[in-house]
Amino acid sequence: SRLCRGRDFQIHRVLTAFNSAVTGEREILLDRYLEGWDELVKFLEALGTVIGFISQEVKGKLELVRDLRRGAPATEKGDPYRTLRSMMAHELRAGLVDFRRQSLSGCRTLLRLHRSLHWLQLFLRAVERSSAVDSMGALCSVAYNQALAPYHSWLLRKAVGVALVALPDRAEFFRIVCGEEEKGEREREREREREGRQLLERTVLAITRVYNITQEAYQVNGMLDLP
Ligand code: 1PW
């Protein structure tokens, strides 16, 4: 709709991609998962340039998984990078998963995306439930400290902390989530927030479902701590 168009970011696409990423057999389709992330990257970029090193990092990880998918296309024997579970089975069978040191496996790479998705999930949920007095930076860093900071070095945590200070304010945030360039008008602002909240709520649900299934798959395979 006209109302819900961001600069380039459209939350509808996040919703659609993550909803269609889950199959009836609770498989995660990697192509849809990566598409959902493509849109989330646009969202990160809309939040500002200081956050640039974060979106660059995510883009690199997305590209890596796509390269693996391209490098091992479907054959009559199967399609190794079609779903999360098929990727795990394929990489384990081929000895590509290194449990001792850093590697370039799809499993360890997607695990980083998965942890980042947790951050986004917590952050978006907090924003959806926030009120006008809440600071975006504070909500974002609470989510970061819970979901991602434990996996990051001291230096990186400091850098992320600096980046979060520069997050746009709440009104701007809802403008990004729920489009429209024109500013002002209190009434309009409130209506936008209502719409934004509803979209956020549905998006958080879709992300949560994907997150939970992914978490379970990593757990079952003992891969939650892949270096
Ligand atoms: C404002 C909303 C916040 C949601 C952000 C979601 C993306 C978070 C990505 C943080 C990336 C920080 C810079 C990169 C750090 C890498 O060292 C680290 N990557 C991640 C995604 O945590 C670990 O990857 P590595 O070094 O083991 O390949």
Side-chain angles (χ1 to χ4, degrees):
S1 79
R2 192 183 64 87
L3 290 176
C4 295
R5 196 160 297 141
R7 282 157 215 179
D8 197 22
F9 164 71
Q10 288 199 34
I11 197 164
H12 284 283
R13 291 204 204 108
V14 180
L15 188 58
T16 307
F18 281 108
N19 269 335
S20 58
V22 181
T23 72
E25 289 79 43
R26 292 181 88 243
E27 292 269 5
I28 303 289
L29 298 170
L30 287 187
D31 290 340
R32 299 290 89 72
Y33 184 90
L34 298 172
E35 276 167 28
W37 261 113
D38 286 339
E39 202 60 25
L40 287 173
V41 166
K42 289 188 207 159
F43 169 62
L44 293 178
E45 285 170 349
L47 289 182
T49 46
V50 189
I51 223 117
F53 77 102
I54 293 180
S55 59
Q56 280 312 314
E57 153 72 10
V58 173
K59 278 189 197 167
K61 296 274 192 276
L62 297 175
E63 200 44 42
L64 215 151
V65 178
R66 287 200 164 106
D67 283 346
L68 291 169
R69 173 130 174 80
R70 270 191 293 269
T75 63
E76 58 277 13
K77 283 196 193 154
D79 191 355
Y81 287 92
R82 190 178 88 90
T83 72
L84 178 64
R85 261 190 266 165
S86 68
M87 174 178 83
M88 288 175 164
H90 162 72
E91 291 196 337
L92 284 170
R93 202 181 321 116
L96 297 171
V97 184
D98 198 325
F99 286 81
R100 286 155 183 273
R101 72 204 115 234
Q102 273 198 31
S103 64
L104 290 177
S105 68
C107 288
R108 72 84 59 189
T109 303
L110 200 127
L111 179 61
R112 271 65 193 170
L113 293 171
H114 172 63
R115 291 169 178 165
S116 304
L117 195 63
H118 193 203
W119 179 10
L120 266 160
Q121 177 208 356
L122 295 176
F123 175 53
L124 294 180
R125 198 170 59 190
V127 171
E128 184 235 310
R129 294 170 182 181
S130 68
S131 68
V133 296
D134 287 308
S135 125
M136 294 294 98
L139 297 180
C140 201
S141 72
V142 168
Y144 173 71
N145 288 334
Q146 187 182 335
L148 210 48
Y151 304 102
H152 284 170
S153 69
W154 181 86
L155 201 64
L156 184 50
R157 291 202 299 271
K158 291 291 154 208
V160 170
V162 170
L164 295 191
V165 173
L167 279 182
D169 66 20
R170 195 162 167 282
E172 172 66 11
F173 183 90
F174 278 104
R175 243 169 259 133
I176 292 167
V177 167
C178 210
E180 260 196 332
E181 297 305 311
E182 69 214 63
K183 302 188 181 184
E185 277 189 84
R186 277 223 113 98
E187 203 41 51
R188 185 68 208 99
E189 200 105 296
R190 251 183 245 129
E191 192 184 315
R192 184 189 292 130
E193 182 173 327
R194 236 182 340 262
E195 269 174 50
R197 272 175 193 268
Q198 279 171 7
L199 272 168
L200 270 182
E201 192 183 0
R202 292 168 62 202
T203 306
V204 169
L205 281 177
I207 289 176
T208 302
R209 194 159 67 116
V210 167
Y211 177 83
N212 289 342
I213 297 173
T214 309
Q215 177 75 7
E216 194 185 307
Y218 272 95
Q219 193 157 15
V220 163
N221 286 290
M223 297 203 288
L224 279 171
D225 298 315
L226 281 186

